[in-house]
Amino acid sequence: MKTLIRRAVAEDLPAIAVADGRGFGLHYSEQDLDDFRPLFEPERYLLACEPDDGVILGVAGSFSFEVTMPGGAALPTQGVTWVSVATTHRRRGILRDLMREQHQGFAEEGLALSLLTASEGGIYGRFGYGQAGRSRTVQVQRRLVRFRRDAPGLGGVRLVDAAEARVRAPEVHRRWAALTPGAVSRDDRWWDCLLLDRPDHRDGATGLFHLLHADGYASYRIHHADSTCRVVDVFAATDEAHGALWRTLLGLDLMDTVTSDSCPVDDPLPFLLEDTRQVRTSGMADGLWARVLDVTAVLEARRYPVEIDVVLDVTDPFLDLGGCFRLRGGPDGAHCERVTATPDVHLEIGTLGTLVFGVHRAHTLARAKLIGAEPSVLGQLDAAMAGEREVRHGTSF
Ligand SMILES: CC(C)(COP(=O)(O)OP(=O)(O)OC[C@H]1O[C@@H](n2cnc3c(N)ncnc32)[C@H](O)[C@@H]1OP(=O)(O)O)[C@@H](O)C(=O)NCCC(=O)NCCS
């Protein structure tokens, strides 16, 4: 018998946590639920339930964010989260039904774009998501590091307590987010939640230490067992703040290693050092995924470093939100409209989600047969879609 899909209400949270916890192999505590409750928007959670007894078999929720588009505009979005299906009921189409209902709902409410980070890379392409970012883990053997004599960022950093970080860091984060494509907003609820810093979520490390600069913020934990500083957050709205924060982090005497699992591929850190190789990439994954729901609105929301004029044939096998669109854009703005014309570019909507954030090149996607276009058009796309910075969402969700 087919499962019933309904919207959650506030009282569902404990049952959602049991269902989702089983899906991910976790046991959430009462404290975890109390901490999460302010972020829980019940109407944003769809539940697939057993028709007989109402037991929850599948969950798909979302958080309300704004995301920065290349060029700096902020677009309202939903960050899909808490997605799971009961181990006993997998591969029967429950996720597919949840995804269809959830994303049709997004489109009906006029949302242009949704986002997620994926537990596994093979799940979401079929639902129209494309890889929009990259997530890099770096390790630095800090005793081997020398900063270049003229590298930016001398001083201006203070160690502060969580209360002061709570007051000052959000404003810095907003300025950093405005400069960073793919950055998702952190409202007060998120800051409250992230700074709770519960001991059972520290994975054997210390509580958070907070570094504040007039234009930057960083937090880290110390893992004494292996003399490692684990950087949790680094946001800088200026190069001076970026350099000053990293000088402080890499100056932590007694530590052997400093690690960060969200260091953008284009982070200038290696170039602040005499030996760039000391910033060692130890892991790389597909950070942010994007699902275009309104092609016109998404293409108009970003800016293009050079003029572009192309006709895109976008197919959307999952939700049928594609079509043929003419995009004319440049540094000052963009106009996109549905047209009946001969397309220059053929691609699926997931690939458009990848392309629009500018991290992956059109030439690369064409070599994988994800884009069909003449070489001259690929050149135009690569020049126009390039982002000013690497995508970084900045908050795990
Ligand atoms: C991922 C998960 C939600 C899938 O749920 P499900 O109900 O089994 O998925 P469906 O039966 O609706 O599958 C829909 C399609 O996705 C595919 N699929 C599902 N899970 C997949 C996975 N982990 N990897 C690759 N493909 C997957 C199915 O094969 C099916 O493919 P098709 O379109 O070719 O028929 C479920 O396996 C789960 O709860 N996993 C653990 C928690 C998790 O990783 N959640 C995702 C968080 S981002």
mmCIF file of all heavy atoms in Angstrom, residues 20 23-24 59 80-87 89-97 116-124 126-127, ligand 1:
data_model
loop_
_atom_site.group_PDB
_atom_site.id
_atom_site.type_symbol
_atom_site.label_atom_id
_atom_site.label_comp_id
_atom_site.label_asym_id
_atom_site.label_seq_id
_atom_site.Cartn_x
_atom_site.Cartn_y
_atom_site.Cartn_z
ATOM 1 N N ASP A 20 14.485 9.693 11.710
ATOM 2 C CA ASP A 20 15.680 10.182 11.037
ATOM 3 C C ASP A 20 16.954 9.627 11.698
ATOM 4 O O ASP A 20 17.915 9.269 11.026
ATOM 5 C CB ASP A 20 15.696 11.710 11.054
ATOM 6 C CG ASP A 20 16.401 12.278 9.844
ATOM 7 O OD1 ASP A 20 15.882 12.080 8.724
ATOM 8 O OD2 ASP A 20 17.464 12.882 10.016
ATOM 9 N N GLY A 23 17.585 6.315 10.451
ATOM 10 C CA GLY A 23 18.080 6.397 9.068
ATOM 11 C C GLY A 23 19.566 6.708 9.009
ATOM 12 O O GLY A 23 20.285 6.198 8.152
ATOM 13 N N PHE A 24 20.032 7.558 9.931
ATOM 14 C CA PHE A 24 21.437 7.977 9.913
ATOM 15 C C PHE A 24 22.292 7.240 10.949
ATOM 16 O O PHE A 24 23.477 7.511 11.081
ATOM 17 C CB PHE A 24 21.542 9.488 10.173
ATOM 18 C CG PHE A 24 21.176 10.318 8.973
ATOM 19 C CD1 PHE A 24 19.905 10.828 8.831
ATOM 20 C CD2 PHE A 24 22.109 10.563 7.975
ATOM 21 C CE1 PHE A 24 19.557 11.585 7.721
ATOM 22 C CE2 PHE A 24 21.772 11.321 6.862
ATOM 23 C CZ PHE A 24 20.497 11.832 6.726
ATOM 24 N N VAL A 59 11.237 11.066 5.744
ATOM 25 C CA VAL A 59 11.240 12.485 6.140
ATOM 26 C C VAL A 59 12.001 13.290 5.089
ATOM 27 O O VAL A 59 13.024 12.829 4.580
ATOM 28 C CB VAL A 59 11.974 12.690 7.495
ATOM 29 C CG1 VAL A 59 11.917 14.146 7.930
ATOM 30 C CG2 VAL A 59 11.426 11.776 8.572
ATOM 31 N N VAL A 80 17.478 21.877 1.762
ATOM 32 C CA VAL A 80 16.835 20.580 2.053
ATOM 33 C C VAL A 80 17.675 19.814 3.066
ATOM 34 O O VAL A 80 18.910 19.786 2.978
ATOM 35 C CB VAL A 80 16.646 19.797 0.737
ATOM 36 C CG1 VAL A 80 16.198 18.371 0.994
ATOM 37 C CG2 VAL A 80 15.648 20.526 -0.155
ATOM 38 N N THR A 81 16.994 19.206 4.024
ATOM 39 C CA THR A 81 17.699 18.590 5.146
ATOM 40 C C THR A 81 16.870 17.463 5.741
ATOM 41 O O THR A 81 15.724 17.248 5.350
ATOM 42 C CB THR A 81 17.989 19.680 6.205
ATOM 43 O OG1 THR A 81 18.828 19.127 7.224
ATOM 44 C CG2 THR A 81 16.706 20.181 6.872
ATOM 45 N N TRP A 82 17.431 16.748 6.704
ATOM 46 C CA TRP A 82 16.741 15.681 7.441
ATOM 47 C C TRP A 82 16.043 14.727 6.458
ATOM 48 O O TRP A 82 14.879 14.356 6.652
ATOM 49 C CB TRP A 82 15.708 16.263 8.417
ATOM 50 C CG TRP A 82 16.278 16.845 9.665
ATOM 51 C CD1 TRP A 82 17.097 17.928 9.724
ATOM 52 C CD2 TRP A 82 16.100 16.410 11.017
ATOM 53 N NE1 TRP A 82 17.424 18.198 11.026
ATOM 54 C CE2 TRP A 82 16.825 17.286 11.843
ATOM 55 C CE3 TRP A 82 15.375 15.382 11.617
ATOM 56 C CZ2 TRP A 82 16.872 17.148 13.239
ATOM 57 C CZ3 TRP A 82 15.412 15.250 13.006
ATOM 58 C CH2 TRP A 82 16.162 16.121 13.798
ATOM 59 N N VAL A 83 16.757 14.331 5.422
ATOM 60 C CA VAL A 83 16.167 13.419 4.423
ATOM 61 C C VAL A 83 16.527 11.990 4.791
ATOM 62 O O VAL A 83 17.709 11.644 4.883
ATOM 63 C CB VAL A 83 16.706 13.749 3.010
ATOM 64 C CG1 VAL A 83 16.233 12.697 2.006
ATOM 65 C CG2 VAL A 83 16.274 15.131 2.579
ATOM 66 N N SER A 84 15.519 11.175 5.007
ATOM 67 C CA SER A 84 15.811 9.755 5.265
ATOM 68 C C SER A 84 14.557 8.919 5.043
ATOM 69 O O SER A 84 13.432 9.423 5.103
ATOM 70 C CB SER A 84 16.311 9.540 6.690
ATOM 71 O OG SER A 84 15.262 9.757 7.593
ATOM 72 N N VAL A 85 14.795 7.640 4.771
ATOM 73 C CA VAL A 85 13.707 6.666 4.628
ATOM 74 C C VAL A 85 14.067 5.467 5.498
ATOM 75 O O VAL A 85 15.255 5.089 5.588
ATOM 76 C CB VAL A 85 13.535 6.265 3.135
ATOM 77 C CG1 VAL A 85 12.624 5.050 2.990
ATOM 78 C CG2 VAL A 85 12.981 7.443 2.337
ATOM 79 N N ALA A 86 13.065 4.882 6.138
ATOM 80 C CA ALA A 86 13.310 3.762 7.049
ATOM 81 C C ALA A 86 14.074 2.640 6.340
ATOM 82 O O ALA A 86 13.775 2.298 5.189
ATOM 83 C CB ALA A 86 11.974 3.225 7.570
ATOM 84 N N THR A 87 15.036 2.090 7.062
ATOM 85 C CA THR A 87 15.879 1.008 6.511
ATOM 86 C C THR A 87 15.025 -0.126 5.958
ATOM 87 O O THR A 87 15.395 -0.790 5.010
ATOM 88 C CB THR A 87 16.762 0.448 7.652
ATOM 89 O OG1 THR A 87 17.236 1.543 8.408
ATOM 90 C CG2 THR A 87 17.916 -0.356 7.126
ATOM 91 N N HIS A 89 12.177 0.090 4.489
ATOM 92 C CA HIS A 89 11.283 0.467 3.381
ATOM 93 C C HIS A 89 12.017 1.172 2.243
ATOM 94 O O HIS A 89 11.404 1.942 1.499
ATOM 95 C CB HIS A 89 10.147 1.367 3.907
ATOM 96 C CG HIS A 89 9.132 0.638 4.712
ATOM 97 N ND1 HIS A 89 9.421 0.079 5.930
ATOM 98 C CD2 HIS A 89 7.834 0.339 4.454
ATOM 99 C CE1 HIS A 89 8.338 -0.517 6.414
ATOM 100 N NE2 HIS A 89 7.358 -0.376 5.529
ATOM 101 N N ARG A 90 13.305 0.893 2.114
ATOM 102 C CA ARG A 90 14.074 1.609 1.085
ATOM 103 C C ARG A 90 13.863 1.017 -0.306
ATOM 104 O O ARG A 90 13.429 -0.118 -0.442
ATOM 105 C CB ARG A 90 15.564 1.589 1.458
ATOM 106 C CG ARG A 90 15.810 2.553 2.598
ATOM 107 C CD ARG A 90 17.250 2.676 2.994
ATOM 108 N NE ARG A 90 17.321 3.611 4.131
ATOM 109 C CZ ARG A 90 18.314 3.658 5.001
ATOM 110 N NH1 ARG A 90 19.332 2.839 4.890
ATOM 111 N NH2 ARG A 90 18.286 4.532 5.993
ATOM 112 N N ARG A 91 14.188 1.831 -1.312
ATOM 113 C CA ARG A 91 14.126 1.469 -2.737
ATOM 114 C C ARG A 91 12.733 1.030 -3.163
ATOM 115 O O ARG A 91 12.555 0.120 -3.934
ATOM 116 C CB ARG A 91 15.167 0.373 -3.092
ATOM 117 C CG ARG A 91 16.582 0.685 -2.678
ATOM 118 C CD ARG A 91 17.126 1.998 -3.278
ATOM 119 N NE ARG A 91 18.507 2.194 -2.863
ATOM 120 C CZ ARG A 91 18.862 2.854 -1.749
ATOM 121 N NH1 ARG A 91 17.936 3.396 -0.966
ATOM 122 N NH2 ARG A 91 20.139 3.001 -1.449
ATOM 123 N N ARG A 92 11.751 1.704 -2.601
ATOM 124 C CA ARG A 92 10.361 1.507 -3.041
ATOM 125 C C ARG A 92 9.762 2.821 -3.527
ATOM 126 O O ARG A 92 8.548 2.943 -3.643
ATOM 127 C CB ARG A 92 9.502 0.981 -1.885
ATOM 128 C CG ARG A 92 9.997 -0.303 -1.286
ATOM 129 C CD ARG A 92 9.098 -0.724 -0.149
ATOM 130 N NE ARG A 92 9.738 -1.761 0.642
ATOM 131 C CZ ARG A 92 9.179 -2.344 1.690
ATOM 132 N NH1 ARG A 92 7.959 -2.006 2.058
ATOM 133 N NH2 ARG A 92 9.822 -3.279 2.361
ATOM 134 N N GLY A 93 10.583 3.821 -3.682
ATOM 135 C CA GLY A 93 10.101 5.077 -4.253
ATOM 136 C C GLY A 93 9.636 6.110 -3.227
ATOM 137 O O GLY A 93 9.052 7.132 -3.596
ATOM 138 N N ILE A 94 9.890 5.866 -1.925
ATOM 139 C CA ILE A 94 9.414 6.833 -0.913
ATOM 140 C C ILE A 94 10.158 8.169 -1.048
ATOM 141 O O ILE A 94 9.551 9.243 -1.032
ATOM 142 C CB ILE A 94 9.549 6.248 0.517
ATOM 143 C CG1 ILE A 94 8.583 5.053 0.667
ATOM 144 C CG2 ILE A 94 9.253 7.323 1.570
ATOM 145 C CD1 ILE A 94 8.618 4.375 2.020
ATOM 146 N N LEU A 95 11.474 8.099 -1.211
ATOM 147 C CA LEU A 95 12.217 9.362 -1.372
ATOM 148 C C LEU A 95 11.743 10.102 -2.618
ATOM 149 O O LEU A 95 11.528 11.314 -2.598
ATOM 150 C CB LEU A 95 13.726 9.100 -1.462
ATOM 151 C CG LEU A 95 14.551 10.368 -1.741
ATOM 152 C CD1 LEU A 95 14.460 11.338 -0.579
ATOM 153 C CD2 LEU A 95 15.997 10.042 -2.052
ATOM 154 N N ARG A 96 11.573 9.364 -3.702
ATOM 155 C CA ARG A 96 11.120 10.012 -4.952
ATOM 156 C C ARG A 96 9.804 10.752 -4.715
ATOM 157 O O ARG A 96 9.639 11.905 -5.126
ATOM 158 C CB ARG A 96 10.953 8.946 -6.042
ATOM 159 C CG ARG A 96 10.412 9.471 -7.341
ATOM 160 C CD ARG A 96 10.411 8.381 -8.397
ATOM 161 N NE ARG A 96 11.767 8.064 -8.823
ATOM 162 C CZ ARG A 96 12.457 8.789 -9.716
ATOM 163 N NH1 ARG A 96 11.885 9.836 -10.277
ATOM 164 N NH2 ARG A 96 13.684 8.469 -10.052
ATOM 165 N N ASP A 97 8.841 10.118 -4.022
ATOM 166 C CA ASP A 97 7.546 10.772 -3.763
ATOM 167 C C ASP A 97 7.732 12.022 -2.893
ATOM 168 O O ASP A 97 7.116 13.061 -3.132
ATOM 169 C CB ASP A 97 6.584 9.798 -3.054
ATOM 170 C CG ASP A 97 6.127 8.675 -3.989
ATOM 171 O OD1 ASP A 97 6.324 8.809 -5.208
ATOM 172 O OD2 ASP A 97 5.605 7.667 -3.481
ATOM 173 N N LEU A 116 21.133 21.798 -1.215
ATOM 174 C CA LEU A 116 21.350 20.760 -0.206
ATOM 175 C C LEU A 116 22.827 20.393 -0.177
ATOM 176 O O LEU A 116 23.601 20.772 -1.069
ATOM 177 C CB LEU A 116 20.482 19.519 -0.465
ATOM 178 C CG LEU A 116 20.537 18.786 -1.809
ATOM 179 C CD1 LEU A 116 21.767 17.912 -1.936
ATOM 180 C CD2 LEU A 116 19.301 17.893 -1.953
ATOM 181 N N THR A 117 23.198 19.650 0.842
ATOM 182 C CA THR A 117 24.485 18.960 0.851
ATOM 183 C C THR A 117 24.136 17.483 0.970
ATOM 184 O O THR A 117 23.219 17.124 1.707
ATOM 185 C CB THR A 117 25.390 19.404 2.018
ATOM 186 O OG1 THR A 117 24.698 19.192 3.249
ATOM 187 C CG2 THR A 117 25.755 20.874 1.898
ATOM 188 N N ALA A 118 24.822 16.650 0.223
ATOM 189 C CA ALA A 118 24.383 15.262 0.052
ATOM 190 C C ALA A 118 25.234 14.296 0.877
ATOM 191 O O ALA A 118 26.456 14.427 0.933
ATOM 192 C CB ALA A 118 24.467 14.888 -1.415
ATOM 193 N N SER A 119 24.552 13.317 1.502
ATOM 194 C CA SER A 119 25.296 12.293 2.245
ATOM 195 C C SER A 119 26.039 11.375 1.284
ATOM 196 O O SER A 119 27.105 10.856 1.601
ATOM 197 C CB SER A 119 24.338 11.462 3.097
ATOM 198 O OG SER A 119 23.383 10.813 2.261
ATOM 199 N N GLU A 120 25.457 11.163 0.097
ATOM 200 C CA GLU A 120 26.088 10.324 -0.927
ATOM 201 C C GLU A 120 25.892 11.006 -2.276
ATOM 202 O O GLU A 120 24.838 11.618 -2.524
ATOM 203 C CB GLU A 120 25.464 8.926 -0.947
ATOM 204 C CG GLU A 120 25.740 8.139 0.323
ATOM 205 C CD GLU A 120 25.235 6.708 0.254
ATOM 206 O OE1 GLU A 120 24.426 6.394 -0.640
ATOM 207 O OE2 GLU A 120 25.659 5.915 1.115
ATOM 208 N N GLY A 121 26.886 10.869 -3.151
ATOM 209 C CA GLY A 121 26.875 11.634 -4.394
ATOM 210 C C GLY A 121 25.893 11.142 -5.449
ATOM 211 O O GLY A 121 25.586 11.861 -6.390
ATOM 212 N N GLY A 122 25.384 9.901 -5.291
ATOM 213 C CA GLY A 122 24.553 9.325 -6.356
ATOM 214 C C GLY A 122 23.066 9.549 -6.206
ATOM 215 O O GLY A 122 22.278 9.054 -7.011
ATOM 216 N N ILE A 123 22.657 10.285 -5.198
ATOM 217 C CA ILE A 123 21.217 10.344 -4.895
ATOM 218 C C ILE A 123 20.486 11.423 -5.690
ATOM 219 O O ILE A 123 19.426 11.170 -6.264
ATOM 220 C CB ILE A 123 20.983 10.610 -3.381
ATOM 221 C CG1 ILE A 123 21.689 9.545 -2.530
ATOM 222 C CG2 ILE A 123 19.479 10.644 -3.073
ATOM 223 C CD1 ILE A 123 21.621 9.800 -1.026
ATOM 224 N N TYR A 124 21.012 12.652 -5.726
ATOM 225 C CA TYR A 124 20.148 13.801 -6.030
ATOM 226 C C TYR A 124 20.167 14.290 -7.483
ATOM 227 O O TYR A 124 19.335 15.119 -7.850
ATOM 228 C CB TYR A 124 20.487 14.961 -5.083
ATOM 229 C CG TYR A 124 20.079 14.647 -3.656
ATOM 230 C CD1 TYR A 124 21.007 14.248 -2.710
ATOM 231 C CD2 TYR A 124 18.738 14.708 -3.283
ATOM 232 C CE1 TYR A 124 20.620 13.933 -1.411
ATOM 233 C CE2 TYR A 124 18.343 14.395 -1.997
ATOM 234 C CZ TYR A 124 19.298 14.008 -1.067
ATOM 235 O OH TYR A 124 18.893 13.694 0.212
ATOM 236 N N ARG A 126 19.193 12.801 -10.070
ATOM 237 C CA ARG A 126 17.914 12.416 -10.712
ATOM 238 C C ARG A 126 16.775 13.358 -10.332
ATOM 239 O O ARG A 126 15.740 13.364 -10.979
ATOM 240 C CB ARG A 126 17.552 10.973 -10.340
ATOM 241 C CG ARG A 126 17.364 10.757 -8.858
ATOM 242 C CD ARG A 126 16.882 9.363 -8.525
ATOM 243 N NE ARG A 126 17.654 8.265 -9.075
ATOM 244 C CZ ARG A 126 18.838 7.868 -8.649
ATOM 245 N NH1 ARG A 126 19.424 8.509 -7.645
ATOM 246 N NH2 ARG A 126 19.459 6.858 -9.201
ATOM 247 N N PHE A 127 16.952 14.114 -9.273
ATOM 248 C CA PHE A 127 15.901 15.054 -8.859
ATOM 249 C C PHE A 127 16.207 16.482 -9.344
ATOM 250 O O PHE A 127 15.581 17.443 -8.910
ATOM 251 C CB PHE A 127 15.724 15.025 -7.339
ATOM 252 C CG PHE A 127 15.432 13.638 -6.811
ATOM 253 C CD1 PHE A 127 16.179 13.091 -5.772
ATOM 254 C CD2 PHE A 127 14.414 12.862 -7.362
ATOM 255 C CE1 PHE A 127 15.931 11.802 -5.304
ATOM 256 C CE2 PHE A 127 14.151 11.575 -6.906
ATOM 257 C CZ PHE A 127 14.911 11.043 -5.872
HETATM 258 C C1 LIG B 1 18.891 7.953 0.480
HETATM 259 C C2 LIG B 1 17.521 7.420 0.912
HETATM 260 C C3 LIG B 1 16.744 8.551 1.532
HETATM 261 C C4 LIG B 1 16.818 6.878 -0.327
HETATM 262 O O1 LIG B 1 15.467 6.570 -0.005
HETATM 263 P P1 LIG B 1 14.609 5.502 -0.865
HETATM 264 O O2 LIG B 1 13.202 5.638 -0.486
HETATM 265 O O3 LIG B 1 15.280 4.194 -0.774
HETATM 266 O O4 LIG B 1 14.816 6.066 -2.348
HETATM 267 P P2 LIG B 1 13.835 5.749 -3.592
HETATM 268 O O5 LIG B 1 13.382 4.334 -3.514
HETATM 269 O O6 LIG B 1 12.792 6.782 -3.700
HETATM 270 O O7 LIG B 1 14.870 5.905 -4.768
HETATM 271 C C5 LIG B 1 14.708 6.811 -5.814
HETATM 272 C C6 LIG B 1 15.879 6.616 -6.742
HETATM 273 O O8 LIG B 1 17.091 6.956 -6.074
HETATM 274 C C7 LIG B 1 18.005 5.865 -6.096
HETATM 275 N N1 LIG B 1 18.739 5.905 -4.818
HETATM 276 C C8 LIG B 1 18.208 5.917 -3.598
HETATM 277 N N2 LIG B 1 19.194 5.974 -2.682
HETATM 278 C C9 LIG B 1 20.349 6.013 -3.350
HETATM 279 C C10 LIG B 1 21.697 6.072 -2.952
HETATM 280 N N3 LIG B 1 22.061 6.118 -1.668
HETATM 281 N N4 LIG B 1 22.651 6.094 -3.899
HETATM 282 C C11 LIG B 1 22.311 6.048 -5.221
HETATM 283 N N5 LIG B 1 21.019 5.989 -5.651
HETATM 284 C C12 LIG B 1 20.069 5.959 -4.722
HETATM 285 C C13 LIG B 1 17.141 4.648 -6.232
HETATM 286 O O9 LIG B 1 17.878 3.571 -6.753
HETATM 287 C C14 LIG B 1 16.075 5.152 -7.190
HETATM 288 O O10 LIG B 1 16.668 5.185 -8.481
HETATM 289 P P3 LIG B 1 15.819 5.213 -9.845
HETATM 290 O O11 LIG B 1 15.366 6.638 -10.016
HETATM 291 O O12 LIG B 1 16.820 4.839 -10.875
HETATM 292 O O13 LIG B 1 14.699 4.243 -9.678
HETATM 293 C C15 LIG B 1 17.674 6.266 1.944
HETATM 294 O O14 LIG B 1 18.496 5.274 1.370
HETATM 295 C C16 LIG B 1 18.269 6.709 3.261
HETATM 296 O O15 LIG B 1 17.541 7.065 4.163
HETATM 297 N N6 LIG B 1 19.614 6.666 3.405
HETATM 298 C C17 LIG B 1 20.278 7.000 4.658
HETATM 299 C C18 LIG B 1 20.164 8.463 5.027
HETATM 300 C C19 LIG B 1 20.666 9.358 3.924
HETATM 301 O O16 LIG B 1 21.755 9.183 3.371
HETATM 302 N N7 LIG B 1 19.853 10.343 3.551
HETATM 303 C C20 LIG B 1 20.183 11.341 2.547
HETATM 304 C C21 LIG B 1 20.674 12.547 3.270
HETATM 305 S S1 LIG B 1 21.315 13.774 2.192
#
